[in-house]
């Protein structure tokens, strides 16, 4: 009987280990959380992993604060790069890709209430419209932030902003000149409209983040930090010449154990 029980325990532990990466070594550095949409997915959505419920988002931000993490902003990173201003101890970057309106209606109030800060990567040409690049087979369109909402959040200093190109182009599927334009033009236009430096850039689909010719164009546009979708935690301080920063993809069905492992191990699942 005993062998049977220990067999069960071993099998259970194996299953647990296969699903959750608790056995990985702890990682420290600058964890960068990657969110997209906060809210309830539209009916029939095939992109549910990109939607985190407001309840889960609140729990996750509360967990960060309870565990001594200090949410920092793109402006904090710029101050570090320009003036050597140290980041807060145990920094974490909460980022949102694309600039969905639900970031304003659902994430912003939670961050404000809990006293945390977030950062949104905007797609310039979609502001005030909807996600024009979406695949209607996978999800109906989702409205994007308006300039008024962006400016309100900027004034509150709860949300900071970076660029996610002009059109959400896959930079590996356009010419190098177009890739350079996507990076440069969005930086200039967002800076002009918001009156502040856009120091940070995220590659749509993560594409091109590790292609030297594309990355060169992005850094030439004047960005101080670029963000990939490669899973993990980059060390801090970071040598920008080395490569784009890694991020932690927070999925819609992540539970708090996943979240804990993402923040401490850089990965929760295979
Ligand atoms: Zn995107």
């Amino acid at each position: 009987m005993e062998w049977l029980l220990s067999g069960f325990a071993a099998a259970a532990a194996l299953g647990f280990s296969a699903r959750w990466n608790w056995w990985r070594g702890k990682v420290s550095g600058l964890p960068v959380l990657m969110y997209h949409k906060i809210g309830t997915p539209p009916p029939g959505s095939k992109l549910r992993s990109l939607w985190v419920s407001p309840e889960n988002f609140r729990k996750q931000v509360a967990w960060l604060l309870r565990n001594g993490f200090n949410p920092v902003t793109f402006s904090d990173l710029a101050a570090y790069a320009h003036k050597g201003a140290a980041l807060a101890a145990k920094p974490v970057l909460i980022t949102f890709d694309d600039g969905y309106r639900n970031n304003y209606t659902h994430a912003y109030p939670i961050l404000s209430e809990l006293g945390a800060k977030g950062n949104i990567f905007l797609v310039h040409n979609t502001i005030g419209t909807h996600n024009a690049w979406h695949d209607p087979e996978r999800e109906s369109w989702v409205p994007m932030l308006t300039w008024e909402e962006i400016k309100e959040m900027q004034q509150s200093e709860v949300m900071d902003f970076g660029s996610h190109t002009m059109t959400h182009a896959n930079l590996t599927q356009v010419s190098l000149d177009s890739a350079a334009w996507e990076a440069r033009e969005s930086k200039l236009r967002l800076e002009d409209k918001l009156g502040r430096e856009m120091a940070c850039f995220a590659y749509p689909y993560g594409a091109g983040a590790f292609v030297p010719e594309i990355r060169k164009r992005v850094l030439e546009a004047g960005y101080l930090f670029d963000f990939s979708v490669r899973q993990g935690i980059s060390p801090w301080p970071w040598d920008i010449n080395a490569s784009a920063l890694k991020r932690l993809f927070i999925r819609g069905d992540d539970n708090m154990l996943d979240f804990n492992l993402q923040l401490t191990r850089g990965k929760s699942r295979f």
Side-chain angles (χ1 to χ4, degrees):
M1 191 61 197
E2 213 166 278
W3 62 268
L4 185 62
L5 281 178
S6 62
F8 274 133
L14 270 177
F16 189 82
S17 304
R19 168 69 176 73
W20 285 291
N21 292 188
W22 56 268
W23 41 266
R24 278 177 196 278
K26 288 206 177 189
V27 182
S28 60
L30 177 63
V32 183
L33 310 189
M34 178 176 67
Y35 292 97
H36 288 78
K37 304 155 188 168
I38 305 296
T40 312
S45 171
K46 295 187 178 71
L47 300 175
R48 301 183 81 87
S49 66
L50 296 176
W51 289 85
V52 173
S53 73
E55 297 72 31
N56 283 356
F57 181 67
R58 176 189 294 275
K59 277 189 217 162
Q60 291 163 359
V61 175
W63 185 96
L64 291 174
L65 300 176
R66 207 167 54 239
N67 285 278
F69 284 94
N70 286 302
V72 296
T73 63
F74 292 158
S75 300
D76 293 329
L77 293 192
Y80 162 80
H82 289 309
K83 298 179 268 180
L87 286 189
K90 225 175 164 184
V92 62
L93 264 180
I94 301 173
T95 71
F96 302 86
D97 278 15
D98 304 336
Y100 297 100
R101 192 164 200 195
N102 54 55
N103 296 173
Y104 173 78
T105 54
H106 291 88
Y108 171 53
I110 292 172
L111 292 171
S112 306
E113 187 195 318
L114 299 181
K117 288 175 190 289
N119 305 270
I120 302 176
F121 287 112
L122 299 166
V123 180
H124 180 275
N125 285 1
T126 68
I127 294 169
T129 64
H130 57 83
N131 50 341
W133 68 86
H134 82 298
D135 175 359
E137 297 285 306
R138 303 181 74 197
E139 188 170 89
S140 52
W141 61 263
V142 180
M144 309 305 281
L145 292 164
T146 65
W147 286 112
E148 291 68 34
E149 290 158 351
I150 293 166
K151 285 182 176 169
E152 181 192 327
M153 290 192 283
Q154 174 169 271
Q155 277 195 332
S156 75
E157 296 189 358
V158 170
M159 286 286 199
D160 204 348
F161 300 93
S163 169
H164 197 38
T165 72
M166 289 297 284
T167 66
H168 206 266
N170 179 324
L171 300 186
T172 62
Q173 292 175 7
V174 297
S175 68
L176 282 177
D177 280 351
S178 296
W181 176 82
E182 290 276 355
R184 189 183 59 237
E185 189 75 7
S186 59
K187 187 175 196 297
L188 292 174
R189 293 221 199 176
L190 289 167
E191 286 178 348
D192 184 51
K193 199 82 176 184
L194 299 177
R196 67 192 301 175
E197 181 183 7
M198 292 293 122
C200 295
F201 178 87
Y203 299 81
Y205 316 101
F210 298 99
V211 179
E213 310 84 70
I214 293 176
R215 188 161 188 262
K216 182 168 172 271
R217 303 305 193 280
V218 168
L219 296 184
E220 278 172 357
Y223 294 103
L224 304 175
F225 297 95
D226 54 337
F227 295 76
S228 70
V229 298
R230 185 167 287 180
Q231 180 72 28
I233 297 175
S234 301
W236 187 264
W238 181 244
D239 174 12
I240 193 62
N241 297 310
S243 84
L245 286 145
K246 295 177 188 173
R247 289 196 285 174
L248 302 169
F249 179 6
I250 310 301
R251 294 176 184 76
D253 63 346
D254 274 1
N255 60 33
M256 289 313 290
L257 176 58
D258 289 310
F259 192 75
N260 182 318
L261 292 174
Q262 293 248 46
L263 266 296
T264 55
R265 267 75 173 178
K267 188 173 184 178
S268 74
R269 318 181 191 189
F270 284 109

